Amino acid sequence: MNYEEAIAYIEEIPKFTKKNKLSHTRECLERLGNPDRSFDVIHVAGSNGKGSVCAMTASVLKEAGYRVGLFISPHLVKTNERFHINGEDVSDEAFLEAFLEVHRLSLALVQEGSYHPTYFEFLFLMGMVLFKQAGVEIAVLETGLGGRLDATNTVEHPLACVITSISLEHTEYLGDTLEAIAGEKAGIIKPGAAVIYEGFHENVSRVIENKAAEYGNRTYALKPEMYEILRNTDTTIDFSLKNAYYDGTVITIPFVAPYQVINTSLALLTLEVLSEKYELSPEIIKRGIRNTRWPGRMETVLPGVIVDGAHNDDGIRRFVETAKRFEDKEITLLFSAVVEKDYPAMIHRICSELHFSKVVTTQIDGARVVPAEKLADLFRKNGCRNVTAKDKIGEAFDEAYEEKGSGLLFCVGSLYLVGAIKDYISNLVNSQEVF
């Protein structure tokens, strides 16, 4: 089996398997030789910001000279993006080697009359194999969905458990209150692990603190008064974190979105915990944060073109907060969403707080599609007059880009949209059809 066949096999997994118990995932790890026990683990859950926290934490550890694995989801263009080793996607060759090992196990399980790993479980198992094969010293793991029942929650002894901002998401699986969702996220907390979390909401904080107290774990809550934004430019933000460890140290982040200050602060509190075991000087921490690269989150992909994977109400709120900084410019919006998201509420918030010269809607292929025309109708009903629907993402991007002129184009609503746009641009650049 070659790399392309391996990718095709993985993409077919949802068609012939179902959600497994965590005990099944743990059995798979044991039959693979417990690769997850060969390195330290930082485990991160949350509704928004967990990927950014993971990326910044991994960047600093790499800067400090450690061999670091990073497991994230979803990927934007290529499946290899889910597995980073020292800041680089794994090679096709390493990917295939890990795939074959997990594939052999999967076939054996099926032949025994047992279960086949799910799509996400299969990829998680591959990640653990990849990290062990690469000699990773510490791995940063992002949960897929929730936390308590997530495949990543089979990791037994994380050094730290991080919980980012909590918002209403996947309510059909996680519960319909912030407290219920916080309980699912807090399910990653294990005995002995330091717990770092965003402590902005009293009810959410209480859930996390109570779970940590069951094990007597140390907790580090980020409060709004702990950080101060000092300077905000078109490319960076300078801020300080006020606690005994950082003592007002000025941190520069390579992002323009103010919410990234919150994510960075959570990463800094996590690194404070890690400094008890790993050598992390203030200069290394500052340099690692400054060098962080996190695709698809307020990322400038072409001059004047910014993609953002905001995909729920809280993510859209933060997108709006950032976009308001550019209200002196003409703004074009390219929007799409997947069916399980509350896209009517997302569109209502966008239209009630921002003004656009043009809105173009498009749609994601597959079972999760929301028709482009349905999205366009919602924008019209919310007061947007210049709205066009294009089924094909490439055609939608071309129209929105032409409309942008000397202004800005924001592409928002789904990480799948972001991935498709990045892929489309890459193909045009490679074919020398440059913008």
Short mmCIF file of all heavy atoms in Angstrom, two decimals, residues 9-10 12-21 24-25 28 99 102-111 113-123 125:
data_model
loop_
_atom_site.label_atom_id
_atom_site.label_comp_id
_atom_site.label_asym_id
_atom_site.label_seq_id
_atom_site.Cartn_x
_atom_site.Cartn_y
_atom_site.Cartn_z
N TYR A 9 -7.81 5.07 2.32
CA TYR A 9 -8.33 4.15 3.34
C TYR A 9 -8.82 4.91 4.57
O TYR A 9 -9.92 4.66 5.08
CB TYR A 9 -7.23 3.16 3.74
CG TYR A 9 -7.66 2.13 4.76
CD1 TYR A 9 -8.14 0.89 4.35
CD2 TYR A 9 -7.60 2.40 6.12
CE1 TYR A 9 -8.55 -0.06 5.28
CE2 TYR A 9 -8.01 1.46 7.06
CZ TYR A 9 -8.48 0.23 6.63
OH TYR A 9 -8.88 -0.69 7.57
N ILE A 10 -8.01 5.86 5.02
CA ILE A 10 -8.38 6.64 6.21
C ILE A 10 -9.67 7.40 5.96
O ILE A 10 -10.56 7.46 6.83
CB ILE A 10 -7.24 7.60 6.60
CG1 ILE A 10 -6.03 6.82 7.12
CG2 ILE A 10 -7.71 8.61 7.64
CD1 ILE A 10 -4.79 7.65 7.30
N GLU A 12 -12.09 6.60 4.16
CA GLU A 12 -13.23 5.69 4.08
C GLU A 12 -13.66 5.17 5.46
O GLU A 12 -14.74 4.60 5.59
CB GLU A 12 -12.88 4.48 3.19
CG GLU A 12 -12.80 4.80 1.72
CD GLU A 12 -14.16 5.15 1.13
OE1 GLU A 12 -15.13 4.45 1.44
OE2 GLU A 12 -14.24 6.14 0.39
N ILE A 13 -12.84 5.36 6.48
CA ILE A 13 -13.12 4.77 7.79
C ILE A 13 -14.50 5.13 8.34
O ILE A 13 -15.20 4.26 8.86
CB ILE A 13 -12.02 5.14 8.82
CG1 ILE A 13 -10.71 4.41 8.47
CG2 ILE A 13 -12.45 4.77 10.24
CD1 ILE A 13 -9.54 4.78 9.36
N PRO A 14 -14.97 6.39 8.23
CA PRO A 14 -16.28 6.70 8.81
C PRO A 14 -17.42 5.85 8.25
O PRO A 14 -18.47 5.74 8.86
CB PRO A 14 -16.48 8.18 8.43
CG PRO A 14 -15.10 8.71 8.27
CD PRO A 14 -14.31 7.57 7.68
N LYS A 15 -17.21 5.24 7.08
CA LYS A 15 -18.28 4.48 6.44
C LYS A 15 -18.45 3.07 7.02
O LYS A 15 -19.44 2.41 6.75
CB LYS A 15 -18.02 4.38 4.93
CG LYS A 15 -18.01 5.74 4.24
CD LYS A 15 -17.79 5.62 2.76
CE LYS A 15 -17.79 7.00 2.10
NZ LYS A 15 -17.58 6.93 0.63
N PHE A 16 -17.45 2.61 7.80
CA PHE A 16 -17.62 1.23 8.28
C PHE A 16 -17.25 1.06 9.75
O PHE A 16 -16.91 -0.04 10.18
CB PHE A 16 -16.82 0.24 7.41
CG PHE A 16 -15.35 0.51 7.31
CD1 PHE A 16 -14.47 0.11 8.31
CD2 PHE A 16 -14.84 1.14 6.19
CE1 PHE A 16 -13.12 0.35 8.20
CE2 PHE A 16 -13.48 1.37 6.07
CZ PHE A 16 -12.62 0.97 7.07
N THR A 17 -17.34 2.11 10.53
CA THR A 17 -17.05 1.95 11.95
C THR A 17 -17.91 2.90 12.76
O THR A 17 -18.62 3.73 12.22
CB THR A 17 -15.57 2.21 12.25
OG1 THR A 17 -15.29 1.83 13.60
CG2 THR A 17 -15.20 3.67 12.05
N LYS A 18 -17.87 2.77 14.07
CA LYS A 18 -18.63 3.63 14.98
C LYS A 18 -17.76 3.98 16.16
O LYS A 18 -16.66 3.43 16.34
CB LYS A 18 -19.91 2.92 15.45
CG LYS A 18 -19.66 1.63 16.20
CD LYS A 18 -20.96 0.96 16.60
CE LYS A 18 -20.69 -0.32 17.39
NZ LYS A 18 -21.94 -0.99 17.81
N LYS A 19 -18.25 4.90 17.01
CA LYS A 19 -17.51 5.35 18.18
C LYS A 19 -17.18 4.19 19.10
O LYS A 19 -18.04 3.36 19.41
CB LYS A 19 -18.34 6.40 18.92
CG LYS A 19 -17.75 6.87 20.24
CD LYS A 19 -16.53 7.71 20.06
CE LYS A 19 -16.01 8.25 21.39
NZ LYS A 19 -14.75 8.96 21.24
N ASN A 20 -15.94 4.10 19.53
CA ASN A 20 -15.49 3.05 20.44
C ASN A 20 -15.34 3.58 21.85
O ASN A 20 -15.20 4.79 22.07
CB ASN A 20 -14.15 2.47 19.97
CG ASN A 20 -14.26 1.79 18.62
OD1 ASN A 20 -15.21 1.06 18.36
ND2 ASN A 20 -13.29 2.03 17.75
N LYS A 21 -15.32 2.69 22.82
CA LYS A 21 -15.07 3.06 24.20
C LYS A 21 -13.59 3.40 24.37
O LYS A 21 -12.73 2.92 23.63
CB LYS A 21 -15.44 1.91 25.12
CG LYS A 21 -16.91 1.53 25.10
CD LYS A 21 -17.17 0.35 26.02
CE LYS A 21 -18.64 -0.05 25.99
NZ LYS A 21 -18.89 -1.25 26.85
N HIS A 24 -11.25 0.58 24.53
CA HIS A 24 -10.81 0.03 23.25
C HIS A 24 -9.55 0.75 22.76
O HIS A 24 -8.60 0.12 22.29
CB HIS A 24 -11.92 0.15 22.21
CG HIS A 24 -13.10 -0.71 22.49
ND1 HIS A 24 -14.32 -0.52 21.87
CD2 HIS A 24 -13.28 -1.75 23.34
CE1 HIS A 24 -15.18 -1.43 22.31
NE2 HIS A 24 -14.57 -2.18 23.21
N THR A 25 -9.57 2.08 22.86
CA THR A 25 -8.40 2.86 22.44
C THR A 25 -7.19 2.50 23.28
O THR A 25 -6.07 2.36 22.75
CB THR A 25 -8.69 4.36 22.56
OG1 THR A 25 -9.95 4.67 21.99
CG2 THR A 25 -7.61 5.17 21.87
N CYS A 28 -5.76 -0.69 22.10
CA CYS A 28 -4.98 -0.49 20.88
C CYS A 28 -3.58 0.02 21.21
O CYS A 28 -2.57 -0.46 20.66
CB CYS A 28 -5.69 0.49 19.95
SG CYS A 28 -7.17 -0.14 19.16
N PHE A 99 1.02 4.52 9.47
CA PHE A 99 -0.27 4.01 8.99
C PHE A 99 -0.27 2.49 8.91
O PHE A 99 -1.21 1.83 9.37
CB PHE A 99 -0.60 4.59 7.61
CG PHE A 99 -1.73 3.88 6.93
CD1 PHE A 99 -3.05 4.23 7.20
CD2 PHE A 99 -1.48 2.84 6.04
CE1 PHE A 99 -4.10 3.56 6.59
CE2 PHE A 99 -2.53 2.16 5.42
CZ PHE A 99 -3.84 2.52 5.70
N VAL A 102 -0.64 0.80 12.32
CA VAL A 102 -2.00 0.87 12.87
C VAL A 102 -2.97 0.07 12.00
O VAL A 102 -3.91 -0.55 12.51
CB VAL A 102 -2.46 2.34 12.99
CG1 VAL A 102 -3.89 2.42 13.51
CG2 VAL A 102 -1.52 3.11 13.92
N HIS A 103 -2.73 0.05 10.70
CA HIS A 103 -3.58 -0.71 9.79
C HIS A 103 -3.50 -2.20 10.10
O HIS A 103 -4.53 -2.91 10.11
CB HIS A 103 -3.14 -0.43 8.35
CG HIS A 103 -3.95 -1.14 7.31
ND1 HIS A 103 -3.44 -2.15 6.52
CD2 HIS A 103 -5.26 -1.02 6.95
CE1 HIS A 103 -4.37 -2.60 5.70
NE2 HIS A 103 -5.49 -1.92 5.94
N ARG A 104 -2.30 -2.71 10.33
CA ARG A 104 -2.14 -4.13 10.68
C ARG A 104 -2.93 -4.47 11.95
O ARG A 104 -3.59 -5.51 12.04
CB ARG A 104 -0.66 -4.48 10.87
CG ARG A 104 0.12 -4.60 9.57
CD ARG A 104 1.50 -5.20 9.80
NE ARG A 104 2.37 -4.29 10.53
CZ ARG A 104 3.15 -3.38 9.95
NH1 ARG A 104 3.18 -3.25 8.63
NH2 ARG A 104 3.91 -2.59 10.68
N LEU A 105 -2.84 -3.59 12.94
CA LEU A 105 -3.59 -3.80 14.17
C LEU A 105 -5.10 -3.79 13.90
O LEU A 105 -5.84 -4.64 14.42
CB LEU A 105 -3.24 -2.71 15.18
CG LEU A 105 -4.11 -2.65 16.44
CD1 LEU A 105 -3.99 -3.94 17.25
CD2 LEU A 105 -3.77 -1.44 17.29
N SER A 106 -5.55 -2.86 13.07
CA SER A 106 -6.98 -2.75 12.78
C SER A 106 -7.50 -4.00 12.10
O SER A 106 -8.58 -4.51 12.44
CB SER A 106 -7.24 -1.53 11.88
OG SER A 106 -6.80 -0.34 12.50
N LEU A 107 -6.74 -4.51 11.14
CA LEU A 107 -7.15 -5.74 10.46
C LEU A 107 -7.21 -6.91 11.43
O LEU A 107 -8.13 -7.74 11.38
CB LEU A 107 -6.19 -6.05 9.31
CG LEU A 107 -6.20 -5.07 8.13
CD1 LEU A 107 -5.23 -5.53 7.05
CD2 LEU A 107 -7.60 -4.92 7.56
N ALA A 108 -6.23 -6.99 12.33
CA ALA A 108 -6.21 -8.07 13.32
C ALA A 108 -7.44 -8.00 14.23
O ALA A 108 -8.07 -9.02 14.54
CB ALA A 108 -4.93 -8.01 14.14
N LEU A 109 -7.79 -6.79 14.65
CA LEU A 109 -8.96 -6.62 15.51
C LEU A 109 -10.23 -7.07 14.81
O LEU A 109 -11.09 -7.75 15.39
CB LEU A 109 -9.08 -5.15 15.92
CG LEU A 109 -8.04 -4.64 16.93
CD1 LEU A 109 -8.08 -3.11 17.00
CD2 LEU A 109 -8.30 -5.22 18.32
N VAL A 110 -10.38 -6.68 13.54
CA VAL A 110 -11.57 -7.06 12.78
C VAL A 110 -11.62 -8.58 12.59
O VAL A 110 -12.69 -9.21 12.73
CB VAL A 110 -11.60 -6.33 11.42
CG1 VAL A 110 -12.72 -6.87 10.54
CG2 VAL A 110 -11.78 -4.83 11.63
N GLN A 111 -10.48 -9.19 12.28
CA GLN A 111 -10.43 -10.64 12.11
C GLN A 111 -10.78 -11.38 13.38
O GLN A 111 -11.31 -12.50 13.35
CB GLN A 111 -9.04 -11.05 11.61
CG GLN A 111 -8.76 -10.64 10.17
CD GLN A 111 -7.30 -10.82 9.78
OE1 GLN A 111 -6.47 -11.25 10.58
NE2 GLN A 111 -6.99 -10.48 8.53
N GLY A 113 -13.08 -10.47 15.26
CA GLY A 113 -14.48 -10.19 15.52
C GLY A 113 -14.69 -9.01 16.44
O GLY A 113 -15.77 -8.84 17.01
N SER A 114 -13.67 -8.19 16.57
CA SER A 114 -13.74 -7.04 17.46
C SER A 114 -14.10 -5.79 16.65
O SER A 114 -14.85 -5.86 15.69
CB SER A 114 -12.41 -6.86 18.20
OG SER A 114 -12.49 -5.91 19.20
N TYR A 115 -13.56 -4.65 17.00
CA TYR A 115 -13.93 -3.36 16.44
C TYR A 115 -12.82 -2.82 15.54
O TYR A 115 -11.66 -3.27 15.62
CB TYR A 115 -14.16 -2.35 17.57
CG TYR A 115 -12.97 -2.27 18.51
CD1 TYR A 115 -11.93 -1.39 18.27
CD2 TYR A 115 -12.87 -3.13 19.61
CE1 TYR A 115 -10.83 -1.34 19.09
CE2 TYR A 115 -11.75 -3.09 20.44
CZ TYR A 115 -10.75 -2.19 20.18
OH TYR A 115 -9.65 -2.16 20.99
N HIS A 116 -13.17 -1.88 14.70
CA HIS A 116 -12.17 -1.15 13.91
C HIS A 116 -12.03 0.24 14.52
O HIS A 116 -13.04 0.87 14.86
CB HIS A 116 -12.62 -1.04 12.45
CG HIS A 116 -11.58 -0.48 11.54
ND1 HIS A 116 -11.20 0.84 11.53
CD2 HIS A 116 -10.82 -1.09 10.58
CE1 HIS A 116 -10.26 1.03 10.62
NE2 HIS A 116 -10.01 -0.12 10.03
N PRO A 117 -10.83 0.76 14.68
CA PRO A 117 -10.68 2.13 15.19
C PRO A 117 -11.45 3.14 14.33
O PRO A 117 -11.53 3.00 13.12
CB PRO A 117 -9.16 2.38 15.10
CG PRO A 117 -8.55 1.02 15.16
CD PRO A 117 -9.51 0.13 14.43
N THR A 118 -12.01 4.16 15.00
CA THR A 118 -12.69 5.23 14.27
C THR A 118 -11.67 6.07 13.51
O THR A 118 -10.46 5.93 13.69
CB THR A 118 -13.45 6.14 15.24
OG1 THR A 118 -12.50 6.80 16.09
CG2 THR A 118 -14.44 5.36 16.10
N TYR A 119 -12.18 6.98 12.70
CA TYR A 119 -11.32 7.90 11.93
C TYR A 119 -10.36 8.65 12.85
O TYR A 119 -9.13 8.62 12.65
CB TYR A 119 -12.22 8.88 11.16
CG TYR A 119 -11.49 9.97 10.41
CD1 TYR A 119 -11.01 9.74 9.12
CD2 TYR A 119 -11.33 11.23 10.96
CE1 TYR A 119 -10.37 10.75 8.41
CE2 TYR A 119 -10.69 12.25 10.26
CZ TYR A 119 -10.21 12.00 9.00
OH TYR A 119 -9.57 13.00 8.30
N PHE A 120 -10.91 9.32 13.86
CA PHE A 120 -10.06 10.11 14.75
C PHE A 120 -9.17 9.21 15.60
O PHE A 120 -7.99 9.52 15.83
CB PHE A 120 -10.92 11.00 15.66
CG PHE A 120 -10.12 11.91 16.55
CD1 PHE A 120 -9.55 13.07 16.04
CD2 PHE A 120 -9.91 11.61 17.89
CE1 PHE A 120 -8.80 13.91 16.86
CE2 PHE A 120 -9.17 12.44 18.71
CZ PHE A 120 -8.60 13.60 18.19
N GLU A 121 -9.70 8.09 16.06
CA GLU A 121 -8.92 7.15 16.86
C GLU A 121 -7.74 6.62 16.06
O GLU A 121 -6.61 6.52 16.57
CB GLU A 121 -9.84 6.01 17.30
CG GLU A 121 -9.24 5.03 18.29
CD GLU A 121 -10.22 3.94 18.65
OE1 GLU A 121 -11.22 3.75 17.91
OE2 GLU A 121 -10.00 3.26 19.65
N PHE A 122 -7.98 6.28 14.79
CA PHE A 122 -6.92 5.77 13.92
C PHE A 122 -5.79 6.81 13.81
O PHE A 122 -4.61 6.48 13.95
CB PHE A 122 -7.51 5.46 12.54
CG PHE A 122 -6.65 4.60 11.67
CD1 PHE A 122 -6.94 3.26 11.49
CD2 PHE A 122 -5.55 5.12 11.00
CE1 PHE A 122 -6.15 2.45 10.67
CE2 PHE A 122 -4.76 4.33 10.19
CZ PHE A 122 -5.05 2.99 10.03
N LEU A 123 -6.18 8.08 13.58
CA LEU A 123 -5.17 9.13 13.45
C LEU A 123 -4.43 9.37 14.76
O LEU A 123 -3.21 9.61 14.77
CB LEU A 123 -5.83 10.42 12.96
CG LEU A 123 -6.34 10.38 11.52
CD1 LEU A 123 -7.22 11.59 11.23
CD2 LEU A 123 -5.20 10.28 10.52
N LEU A 125 -3.85 7.15 17.11
CA LEU A 125 -2.91 6.03 17.27
C LEU A 125 -1.69 6.21 16.37
O LEU A 125 -0.56 5.97 16.79
CB LEU A 125 -3.62 4.71 16.94
CG LEU A 125 -4.76 4.30 17.89
CD1 LEU A 125 -5.52 3.11 17.33
CD2 LEU A 125 -4.23 3.99 19.28
#
